[in-house]
Amino acid sequence: MRDCGVMQMQSRFRSDRRLTVRMGITLFLLGLLYVGFIAALIALLKSWVLVVVIVALVFGAQFWFSDRIALFAMRGRVVERDEYPELHGVVDRLSAMAGMPKPVVAVSAMDMPNAFATGRNPDNAVICVTTGLLRRLEPAELEGVLAHELSHVAHKDVAVITVASFLGVIAGLVVRFAFYSQLFGAGRRDQNTLVVFAAVMGVSAAVYALSFVLIRALSRYRELAADRAAALLTGRPSALASALTKVTGDIARIPTKDLRTAQAFNAFYFTPALGAEPGLGRLFSTHPGLEERLDQLGRISAELGEAATPGKA
């Protein structure tokens, strides 16, 4: 019976056609943008070797070392079973239910309640939770959050977002490089140099803006897909809804200045590090609004016949 259950949960976790289609469309559009951007840079800078080398180095660093970069930035450290036996136990159980390799478990000594998954594939994944999250959540709520993060790993969301965001990173670096090269090379300017500078800045800014919008549209759907997968895996959407309500409420009470260092990683978080629910900025948010996420969990709860009301502890 257990083997059958594993296979059933595995199919739930690994097949989300709508997510796959949206990822495919977004990556296709970003790919077209990427090709056009690289072609424009080569034409403007007249050195395809320089462009290719820079692009390859940045992509390699971002893709292969994304887990280490994220852990370092968020002060996370890998923890063993004897340090956090209950946390390891939950990750063990969920990984077995989903039929996937167990990721490395890490903890960040931050009071902000949150969690994130990183790593280029399921065999090289890390799930990190903050001490603030562990202190605030009940076991069933923590299980829901970890299932959400495991869904990101199973769907290769981290790798997709890393690849997708790479274009924006390159565009941003080009803008900064062009700006500082002009700033410190003011004595050697001529009309042609200024034209090339303006063209590089304009193309890079446009590419960054377009990739920014596309990535955030994909990211919002990724979060809804991960919520849905976690609810189906655990069979307790109300526990995940309760965790969402708690975490979002507690983050909103943290001073904005204390959230600024964490906001660069919002696309990877369980809940974004925002001081308040955005208004028009919701269109550019990495996550859907709390109400939208709770509504979806409420519908899943009704489908599963769950007695508890989503959003209630």
Side-chain angles (χ1 to χ4, degrees):
M1 291 298 292
R2 180 175 175 80
D3 291 340
C4 293
V6 170
M7 290 302 294
Q8 184 181 16
M9 292 303 177
Q10 183 178 14
S11 65
R12 285 178 177 176
F13 235 8
R14 295 187 178 177
S15 60
D16 190 323
R17 292 182 180 178
R18 288 177 294 178
L19 178 61
T20 302
V21 168
R22 292 197 183 207
M23 280 186 172
I25 292 173
T26 302
L27 290 178
F28 175 74
L29 293 175
L30 285 169
L32 291 178
L33 196 60
Y34 175 81
V35 171
F37 181 50
I38 296 301
L41 286 183
I42 292 174
L44 291 168
L45 300 179
K46 302 185 185 303
S47 176
W48 67 269
V49 175
L50 175 63
V51 172
V52 170
V53 169
I54 292 174
V55 168
L57 288 175
V58 175
F59 178 78
Q62 189 177 4
F63 186 75
W64 290 97
F65 302 110
S66 61
D67 52 345
R68 299 179 190 179
I69 294 171
L71 283 178
F72 176 79
M74 297 313 301
R75 294 174 289 171
R77 67 178 183 88
V78 175
V79 296
E80 301 301 330
R81 185 180 300 275
D82 57 348
E83 295 179 84
Y84 288 87
E86 294 180 3
L87 176 61
H88 270 272
V90 176
V91 176
D92 281 335
R93 184 169 64 255
L94 290 173
S95 299
M97 291 170 65
M100 59 186 290
K102 179 187 176 183
V104 173
V105 178
V107 172
S108 171
M110 295 179 63
D111 186 58
M112 181 187 70
N114 229 319
F116 65 89
T118 185
R120 61 187 182 274
N121 56 46
D123 292 320
N124 296 275
V126 178
I127 286 185
C128 182
V129 298
T130 66
T131 52
L133 185 80
L134 293 175
R135 187 173 65 255
R136 287 172 171 88
L137 298 189
E138 299 296 326
E141 295 168 340
L142 178 62
E143 182 182 65
V145 173
L146 293 173
H148 172 103
E149 298 304 328
L150 276 175
S151 171
H152 283 315
V153 173
H155 289 134
K156 298 181 176 62
D157 288 352
V158 178
V160 170
I161 288 297
T162 297
V163 172
S165 62
F166 165 69
L167 188 60
V169 171
I170 286 291
L173 288 175
V174 168
V175 169
R176 291 187 182 185
F177 176 77
F179 176 78
Y180 286 116
S181 66
Q182 283 298 108
L183 182 65
F184 295 109
R188 299 185 297 276
R189 291 180 187 171
D190 55 36
Q191 188 172 2
N192 289 336
T193 301
L194 289 175
V195 170
V196 172
F197 168 75
V200 169
M201 290 284 283
V203 170
S204 299
V207 167
Y208 181 83
L210 288 171
S211 62
F212 182 91
V213 173
L214 287 171
I215 290 165
R216 273 149 181 77
L218 174 61
S219 181
R220 289 193 296 274
Y221 191 81
R222 282 174 55 249
E223 296 303 325
L224 289 174
D227 283 346
R228 180 169 58 250
L232 293 173
L233 182 69
T234 63
R236 288 187 284 189
S238 64
L240 178 58
S242 179
L244 268 170
T245 304
K246 277 187 183 180
V247 171
T248 303
D250 285 348
I251 287 179
R253 287 191 287 271
I254 296 175
T256 303
K257 62 183 179 65
D258 295 333
L259 297 176
R260 287 173 184 163
T261 56
Q263 288 177 352
F265 291 89
N266 271 349
F268 296 96
Y269 280 140
F270 171 65
T271 301
L274 300 174
E277 191 77 7
L280 183 60
R282 185 177 300 176
L283 295 174
F284 306 108
S285 175
T286 56
H287 290 60
L290 175 63
E291 183 178 350
E292 185 178 359
R293 296 177 76 175
L294 293 180
D295 284 346
Q296 176 183 245
L297 291 171
R299 292 192 296 272
I300 295 173
S301 182
E303 292 170 5
L304 296 178
E306 192 181 32
T309 303
K312 302 295 183 182

